[in-house]
């Protein structure tokens, strides 16, 4: 179609696309996507994105070209993209362009500055009040689908029983695929359910715990190491994120949210106050 006529056909603001003369409008699209309103994280994220943009504009936060270049360099290093070809391949697999990557890095730099401003002067005092919540434990975890089997294994490997690592291997090899898994991991107290945190951080080194009900099975654990929290860089960044999320929750509770599409009544229970405009 000649360029002068490309926008000459009639379309309402609510129309999204037209295929062979059939027009799809936003109301129909939102009907197809009704499941969105069941997803609390997604609905809340939509509101949070607006609140963050508002705060960035009010505070006048921006990112210089140098900061964006440094963020892109750090991103490539983290992803192991050590050449232009590797970067282009990564972008192509995700349907991104270099401009998309630059935009995302700029957004992350700005978001980091906002978090730092909100947390300014409060990190050390928060750590002092909640230090125990940032303690970590290194554990070996055996997860089984069957509670009785987990109980029998836990009894066998109590202090004085058979060796834990050998039990992991024997159990996984002897049971059907998917019914037993094992991991070695480091967990933080604040990320655990209260009962699990008390059991893990109250156990002696080498102690065996369980079975405990997990997300998709029953866990038998051995505590390998307990580490007292330090205000190092990862902990400082985590506290900044915690303070940012608390600030965001407060702003969300105070916000007036207008849902122009979708199920506003369902969304209000997930993402703060809401009202549908007349």
């Amino acid at each position: 179609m000649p360029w002068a006529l490309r926008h000459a056909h009639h379309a309402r603001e609510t129309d999204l696309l037209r295929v062979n003369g059939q027009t799809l409008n936003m109301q129909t699209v939102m009907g197809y996507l009704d499941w969105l309103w069941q997803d609390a994280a997604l609905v809340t994220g939509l509101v949070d994105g607006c609140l963050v943009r508002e705060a960035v504009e009010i505070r006048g936060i921006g990112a210089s070209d140098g900061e964006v270049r440094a963020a892109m360099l750090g991103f490539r290093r983290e992803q192991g993209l050590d050449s232009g070809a590797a970067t282009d391949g990564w972008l192509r697999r995700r349907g991104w362009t270099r401009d998309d990557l630059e935009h995302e890095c700029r957004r992350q730099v700005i978001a980091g500055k906002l978090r730092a401003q909100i947390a300014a002067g409060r990190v050390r005092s928060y750590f002092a009040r909640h230090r125990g919540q940032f303690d970590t434990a290194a554990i070996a975890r055996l997860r089984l689908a069957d509670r009785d089997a987990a109980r029998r294994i836990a009894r066998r490997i109590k202090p004085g029983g058979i060796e834990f690592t050998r039990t992991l291997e024997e159990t996984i090899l002897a049971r059907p695929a998917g019914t037993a898994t094992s991991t070695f991991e480091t967990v933080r107290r604040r990320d655990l359910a209260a009962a699990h945190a008390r059991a893990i951080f109250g156990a002696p080194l080498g102690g065996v715990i369980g079975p405990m009900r997990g997300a998709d099975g029953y866990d038998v654990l051995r505590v390998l190491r307990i580490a007292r929290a330090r205000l190092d860089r990862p902990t400082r960044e985590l506290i900044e994120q915690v303070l940012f999320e608390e600030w965001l929750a407060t702003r969300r509770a105070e916000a007036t949210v207008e849902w122009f599409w979708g199920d506003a009544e369902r969304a209000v229970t997930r993402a703060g106050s809401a009202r549908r405009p007349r």
Side-chain angles (χ1 to χ4, degrees):
M1 182 178 294
W3 67 267
L5 301 178
R6 286 178 187 172
H7 302 288
H9 63 284
H10 172 70
R12 295 171 299 176
E13 291 183 355
T14 58
D15 291 343
L16 180 64
L17 80 160
R18 184 175 293 142
V19 179
N20 293 336
Q22 300 297 315
T23 300
L24 189 65
N25 59 36
M26 284 301 300
Q27 186 169 1
T28 304
V29 170
M30 295 311 297
Y32 290 151
L33 301 180
D34 186 64
W35 59 271
L36 291 176
W37 310 103
Q38 303 285 355
D39 189 333
L42 188 146
V43 172
T44 301
L46 295 174
V47 174
D48 289 352
C50 292
L51 294 174
V52 167
R53 288 209 315 271
E54 177 190 37
V56 166
E57 290 176 5
I58 291 174
R59 294 166 182 255
I61 301 174
S64 69
D65 291 342
E67 290 171 328
V68 174
R69 282 195 299 271
M72 292 178 69
L73 183 61
F75 175 83
R76 290 179 57 183
R77 189 181 301 115
E78 289 175 4
Q79 297 294 325
L81 306 175
D82 54 3
S83 69
T87 302
D88 290 339
W90 187 94
L91 294 171
R92 189 165 52 251
R93 288 191 297 273
R94 287 157 181 79
W96 282 24
T97 66
R98 285 184 176 261
D99 286 344
D100 293 329
L101 179 58
E102 180 178 338
H103 174 79
E104 177 61 19
C105 288
R106 186 178 299 276
R107 188 191 66 80
Q108 291 183 10
V109 169
I110 291 172
K113 287 185 175 182
L114 177 61
R115 285 194 299 271
Q117 286 189 16
I118 290 168
R122 302 164 58 198
V123 172
R124 189 171 295 277
S125 61
Y126 187 95
F127 178 74
R129 294 194 308 273
H130 304 280
R131 180 171 182 169
Q133 293 300 309
F134 297 94
D135 291 347
T136 59
I139 62 172
R141 181 194 306 272
L142 174 63
R143 175 165 292 174
L144 296 102
D146 186 301
R147 182 180 182 180
D148 291 336
R151 185 181 290 115
R152 288 193 299 270
I153 289 172
R155 283 198 296 264
R156 290 173 60 198
I157 57 177
K158 291 293 184 182
I162 65 175
E163 204 274 334
F164 189 80
T165 303
R166 192 172 79 243
T167 304
L168 296 182
E169 297 175 357
E170 292 175 351
T171 302
I172 292 172
L173 292 174
R175 301 184 69 84
T179 61
T181 58
S182 67
T183 57
F184 290 87
E185 57 192 281
T186 298
V187 295
R188 197 181 298 273
R189 186 195 295 265
R190 72 183 306 274
D191 298 328
L192 300 171
H196 288 203
R198 286 194 299 270
I200 292 172
F201 287 91
L205 292 183
V208 177
I209 307 167
M212 296 192 301
R213 188 74 170 92
D216 54 359
Y218 296 88
D219 294 339
V220 179
L221 310 174
R222 169 157 282 180
V223 179
L224 306 176
R225 184 183 68 244
I226 300 291
R228 180 76 165 150
R230 296 183 298 109
L231 191 55
D232 51 16
R233 181 176 178 179
T235 303
R236 185 178 294 276
E237 291 175 350
L238 178 57
I239 293 174
E240 285 188 358
Q241 183 63 30
V242 170
L243 292 171
F244 173 74
E245 289 172 358
E246 290 180 353
W247 169 85
L248 201 53
T250 299
R251 295 287 297 123
R252 192 187 311 124
E254 297 170 349
T256 298
V257 182
E258 298 178 273
W259 293 101
F260 296 98
W261 296 99
D263 190 337
E265 290 72 21
R266 203 180 307 172
V268 68
T269 65
R270 292 163 167 79
S273 59
R275 62 186 175 88
R276 184 191 293 275
R278 297 176 183 176

